[in-house]
Amino acid sequence: MLFEPARHEPLHAPPWDPAAARGAIAAIVDQLERSRDAGAGWPVHPLDADEPPPAGGYKSLYFGSAGVLWALWYLQREGAVTLRADPREGLDELEASYRAAPDTGEVVPSYFLGEVGIELVRWRMTGDPDAADRMHAAIEANIANPTNEALWAAPGTMVAAWHLWEATREPRWQALFMDNVEQLWRTWLPDPQAGCHLWTQDLYGHIVKLLGAGHGFAGNVYPLLRGAALLDDARRESLRARCLQTLAATQLRDGDAANWPPGVGPPRPGRTAVLMQWCHGAPGIVTSLLHYPPGVSPEMEALLRRAGEAVWRAGPLAKGAGLCHGTAGNGYALLALHARTGDPLWLDRARVFAMHAALQSERMRASYAAVRPSLWTGDAGVAVFLWHCVQGGGSLPGLDFIG
């Protein structure tokens, strides 16, 4: 079984209509602006409140104010919307609020849930050199994080080093990125039972070997592939060979479609589902392999096409419209395949997902009488996905690009 049907819902979307997509973006942004607190934050949506939220709500790039402020800034910069207020005005208060009451109970380096993501947003929106310095120190301190995955550890925070290296060409960012590469390479070990190389995660009190973009193999190879030009020839070839070996060895295949289980070996307790979403499953495999060079391996191209077919076959996620575990995140896999192959079929499919995600977002806002103010779990990410479908292409906001 490639996916669990109960986690998905049938496609019920009108034909692609760029005017309707723009209208959906405008509606989301309007509600985000109207629901903003007097300061820099937003009320925490019930679906993002598994535990009592910190004072001032969440602040992170993943599902907090930093991600929402960045999305608003990006959409206005792109000409998608006109805002009533400048998102940059909330950044000082956001940073102070995070340090006083961090999302996870303590200040952590994490790209998605901590200091590095917040400082990256601040640096990108203002050019603040102090933000860059704080980011550098946090990335360096996070290199040996034993979780060995993107949400908390080096595979996430090193992405910020890469963004700064690309933007500034300052040697310190290249050196920091390469220090992280060495850490990932040291901990990427052969698994004789699986027949491939894997990382081991020490995650939430459990020792596991995961495969997905959120917590495992795919999220770890993403920055290595992104920065492959900085590797020597032998390591670059080894990187490509290991990627192919691992995906081929661990795939669940059904004809022209393929998915991947959450991990190899004993799972975390209660985590036995076969998922089809960005954080675990084929969608995140496709987006994480975005920088594996096209045309190098026919076998890799076939694997990624099979992953895309599985995403399409499964249909929209019933859980919601967002990026991490929602319809928009799965849609980005289809956009990635369009960019990779040039085949308009993948863009057409992404736009079908976009129209469905817009309806899901509207339905959820009506159900809760509230917008979901989050880049990776809520409506801000949906708005960016809709915009990319209007433009005919794009990649994951806040990860693949920071504007």
Side-chain angles (χ1 to χ4, degrees):
M1 182 175 65
L2 295 187
F3 60 93
E4 298 184 6
R7 294 178 178 273
H8 298 264
E9 62 185 38
L11 271 167
H12 290 304
W16 168 248
D17 181 349
R22 286 176 176 271
I25 295 167
I28 290 170
V29 168
D30 178 68
Q31 291 193 38
L32 285 171
E33 287 207 286
R34 289 179 185 277
S35 63
R36 184 175 171 181
D37 291 337
W42 277 264
V44 174
H45 194 277
L47 294 177
D48 289 324
D50 291 339
E51 299 176 358
Y58 294 119
K59 297 92 178 175
S60 65
L61 176 65
Y62 179 77
F63 61 176
S65 301
V68 180
L69 291 171
W70 174 85
L72 293 173
W73 174 83
Y74 170 73
L75 288 168
Q76 176 163 267
R77 185 168 168 267
E78 285 282 294
V81 297
T82 300
L83 302 178
R84 291 188 288 270
D86 186 346
R88 293 172 294 186
E89 293 174 359
L91 292 175
D92 287 342
E93 187 169 346
L94 164 64
E95 187 161 355
S97 179
Y98 173 72
R99 297 194 181 281
D103 291 14
T104 58
E106 61 180 326
V107 174
V108 293
S110 171
Y111 183 82
F112 285 102
L113 293 173
E115 184 178 11
V116 169
I118 292 170
E119 296 293 359
L120 179 61
V121 166
R122 182 182 183 90
W123 176 83
R124 186 63 190 92
M125 291 170 63
T126 68
D128 180 5
D130 291 337
D133 291 343
R134 289 190 294 270
M135 198 184 340
H136 191 282
I139 296 167
E140 190 170 46
N142 201 41
I143 290 174
N145 189 316
T147 58
N148 277 338
E149 45 78 79
L151 197 73
W152 299 103
T157 51
M158 69 188 290
V159 172
W162 178 259
H163 283 307
L164 268 290
W165 162 245
E166 278 198 313
T168 70
R169 286 300 192 257
E170 291 181 19
R172 64 170 177 161
W173 296 109
Q174 180 180 355
L176 182 59
F177 181 82
M178 292 305 298
D179 287 344
N180 279 269
V181 168
E182 292 303 322
Q183 168 68 11
L184 262 66
W185 212 266
R186 281 195 299 271
T187 55
W188 194 9
L189 302 174
D191 184 314
Q193 188 173 7
C196 57
H197 284 70
L198 293 171
W199 284 274
T200 298
Q201 287 78 40
D202 184 346
L203 189 65
Y204 309 133
H206 302 285
I207 305 300
V208 288
K209 294 182 179 181
L210 300 176
L211 294 172
H215 292 295
F217 160 81
N220 290 17
V221 297
Y222 169 79
L224 296 176
L225 290 166
R226 188 84 185 258
L230 300 180
L231 308 182
D232 60 48
D233 290 345
R235 185 169 283 184
R236 189 161 49 244
E237 290 303 313
S238 180
L239 167 63
R240 295 171 184 171
R242 289 184 185 187
C243 287
L244 180 58
Q245 176 194 48
T246 300
L247 293 185
T250 58
Q251 67 175 314
L252 305 172
R253 184 173 177 181
D254 181 6
D256 65 349
N259 193 17
W260 283 262
V264 170
R268 287 166 56 199
R271 301 279 180 153
T272 58
V274 179
L275 301 173
M276 182 72 74
Q277 53 198 42
W278 177 82
C279 51
H280 294 289
I285 296 292
V286 174
T287 60
S288 296
L289 273 290
L290 181 67
H291 296 281
Y292 191 103
V296 167
S297 167
E299 186 177 356
M300 177 62 76
E301 303 308 319
L303 281 165
L304 296 179
R305 285 194 300 272
R306 288 198 290 270
E309 288 296 336
V311 172
W312 177 250
R313 184 185 298 179
L317 280 154
K319 196 169 185 177
L323 299 181
C324 186
H325 33 257
T327 302
N330 287 20
Y332 269 114
L334 306 176
L335 283 182
L337 285 165
H338 174 247
R340 189 175 195 87
T341 66
D343 186 343
L345 171 69
W346 297 112
L347 177 58
D348 291 343
R349 288 176 168 182
R351 285 171 163 169
V352 171
F353 271 39
M355 298 301 284
H356 190 99
L359 291 178
Q360 284 181 301
S361 173
E362 181 180 13
R363 189 169 67 229
M364 185 172 288
R365 296 198 307 275
S367 176
Y368 285 90
V371 70
R372 191 172 182 180
S374 163
L375 179 61
W376 272 77
T377 64
D379 291 306
V382 175
V384 177
F385 175 58
L386 286 163
W387 176 247
H388 286 161
C389 285
V390 170
Q391 296 301 298
S395 54
L396 285 162
L399 180 64
D400 293 327
F401 73 102
I402 198 70

